[in-house]
């Protein structure tokens, strides 16, 4: 079985793939000092709790935090006896190579989202991922990542507002009942929610105009369902897009390494 690991700036997600479906998905906070033993203690405790009996034989990792990769490699080698694939490393092949400026290093999460989205929806896509940053990935007609946009993440913006303005409280991100707030919390919630609705709409419209063809918009990330309430922002929402992309890249490497 395959263990797919997606390590972001805020959270690290482990999903067990049996070749047809994900058996479970486990989530922990990202911490660069977490050891291989600590990962295994956490992982094995939860797997036992859910009553899942699995034999992990392969591991694939996508990480936007380079410092955690070493301990995840040790984790895979020590406890599963395998050398993991790491997206972004030369030995990990991509179904379609990105077309960007020479010397540009594309984030592994964007490569994985591109692979997963193209596998499910074909090309001419914008993938909007609500993570620590809000990213917009453009997927060409042939499945290649050809660039995109990076904006501050929703929660990052809320934290910055609270930290920099002493009189403003920290608020939960939610859809307000109306645009015009009648108290401080409602005003902030309206600004954050409708501000990001406008940001997504505006950037996607500009991308479509520059790209010159109709494009499907795919939403993913924890806050995508929330912002789908704001307007018709997305053609579809994929809550497991990154994990699906990892299985696509893993399968592509297995097939091509046979040749």
């Amino acid at each position: 079985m395959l263990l797919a690991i997606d390590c972001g700036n805020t959270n690290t997600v482990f999903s067990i793939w049996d070749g047809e479906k994900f058996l479970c998905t486990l989530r922990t906070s990202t911490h660069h000092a977490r050891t291989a033993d600590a990962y295994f203690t956490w992982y094995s405790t939860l797997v036992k709790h859910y009553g899942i009996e699995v034999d992990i034989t392969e591991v694939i990792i996508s990480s936007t935090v380079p410092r955690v990769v070493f301990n995840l490699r040790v984790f895979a080698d020590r406890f599963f006896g395998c050398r993991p694939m790491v997206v972004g490393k030369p030995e990990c092949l991509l179904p379609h190579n990105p077309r960007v400026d020479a010397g540009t290093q594309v984030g592994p999460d964007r490569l994985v989202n591109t692979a997963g989205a193209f596998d499910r929806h074909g090309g001419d896509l914008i993938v909007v991922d609500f993570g620590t940053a809000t990213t917009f990935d453009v997927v060409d007609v042939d499945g290649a990542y050809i660039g995109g946009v990076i904006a501050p993440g929703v929660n990052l913006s809320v934290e910055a507002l609270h930290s920099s303005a002493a009189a403003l409280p920290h608020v939960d991100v939610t859809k307000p009942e109306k645009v015009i707030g009648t108290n401080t919390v409602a005003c902030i919630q309206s600004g954050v929610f409708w501000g990001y609705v406008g940001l997504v709409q505006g950037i996607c419209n500009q991308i479509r105009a520059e790209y010159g063809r109709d494009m499907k918009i795919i939403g993913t990330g924890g806050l995508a369902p929330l912002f789908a309430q704001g307007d018709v922002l997305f053609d579809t929402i994929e809550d497991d897009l990154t994990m699906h992309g990892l299985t696509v890249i893993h399968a592509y490497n297995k097939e091509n390494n046979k040749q």
Side-chain angles (χ1 to χ4, degrees):
M1 281 187 195
L2 173 68
L3 178 61
I5 303 175
D6 172 43
C7 179
N9 290 293
T10 304
N11 293 314
T12 298
V13 181
F14 286 49
S15 288
I16 299 172
W17 174 253
D18 70 357
E20 296 182 355
K21 62 184 182 298
F22 290 110
L23 299 181
C24 72
T25 295
L26 314 173
R27 187 180 299 267
T28 186
S29 59
T30 298
H31 183 37
H32 73 271
R34 183 173 284 123
T35 65
D37 290 355
Y39 276 118
F40 184 71
T41 300
W42 166 80
Y43 165 85
S44 58
T45 300
L46 285 180
V47 167
K48 183 178 180 180
H49 171 76
Y50 287 117
I52 301 171
E53 295 184 8
V54 293
D55 180 18
I56 300 297
T57 56
E58 297 172 287
V59 177
I60 184 168
I61 300 168
S62 169
S63 177
T64 58
V65 186
R67 289 193 294 174
V68 307
V69 173
F70 174 77
N71 283 328
L72 287 172
R73 283 183 180 271
V74 174
F75 164 75
D77 178 62
R78 180 177 297 169
F79 297 105
F80 305 121
C82 67
R83 178 181 176 84
M85 292 182 193
V86 180
V87 178
K89 299 296 183 183
E91 62 273 16
C92 183
L93 306 175
L94 298 173
H96 305 90
N97 289 321
R99 292 193 292 272
V100 293
D101 294 343
T104 299
Q105 187 172 4
V106 181
D109 54 333
R110 309 184 83 173
L111 298 174
V112 171
N113 282 348
T114 295
F118 181 74
D119 182 69
R120 284 180 170 171
H121 303 284
D124 295 336
L125 305 175
I126 304 170
V127 180
V128 184
D129 189 351
F130 291 89
T132 304
T134 302
T135 60
F136 300 73
D137 302 326
V138 180
V139 185
D140 208 352
V141 64
D142 64 350
Y145 169 87
I146 58 170
V149 176
I150 301 175
V154 179
N155 287 317
L156 190 65
S157 296
V158 172
E159 290 293 340
L161 186 64
H162 172 61
S163 299
S164 300
L168 296 181
H170 183 278
V171 301
D172 293 329
V173 181
T174 187
K175 181 182 178 181
E177 293 184 3
K178 53 185 180 178
V179 177
I180 302 173
T182 52
N183 57 70
T184 302
V185 170
C187 288
I188 296 173
Q189 288 175 332
S190 183
V192 172
F193 182 83
W194 291 110
Y196 270 87
V197 168
L199 180 143
V200 172
Q201 287 177 325
I203 289 178
C204 287
N205 286 340
Q206 290 294 326
I207 290 173
R208 281 171 159 166
E210 188 172 294
Y211 189 71
R213 287 199 298 271
D214 189 32
M215 306 178 79
K216 182 179 289 187
I217 302 175
I218 313 299
T220 191
L223 290 176
L226 170 65
F227 285 96
Q229 301 177 59
D231 208 330
V232 186
L233 289 182
F234 312 115
D235 292 287
T236 187
I237 293 176
E238 303 275 2
D239 58 358
D240 65 343
L241 183 65
T242 302
M243 287 303 171
H244 177 67
L246 283 170
T247 69
V248 170
I249 292 174
H250 177 265
Y252 181 79
N253 278 264
K254 285 195 71 176
E255 182 62 29
N256 281 270
N257 287 333
K258 291 178 182 178
Q259 300 175 2

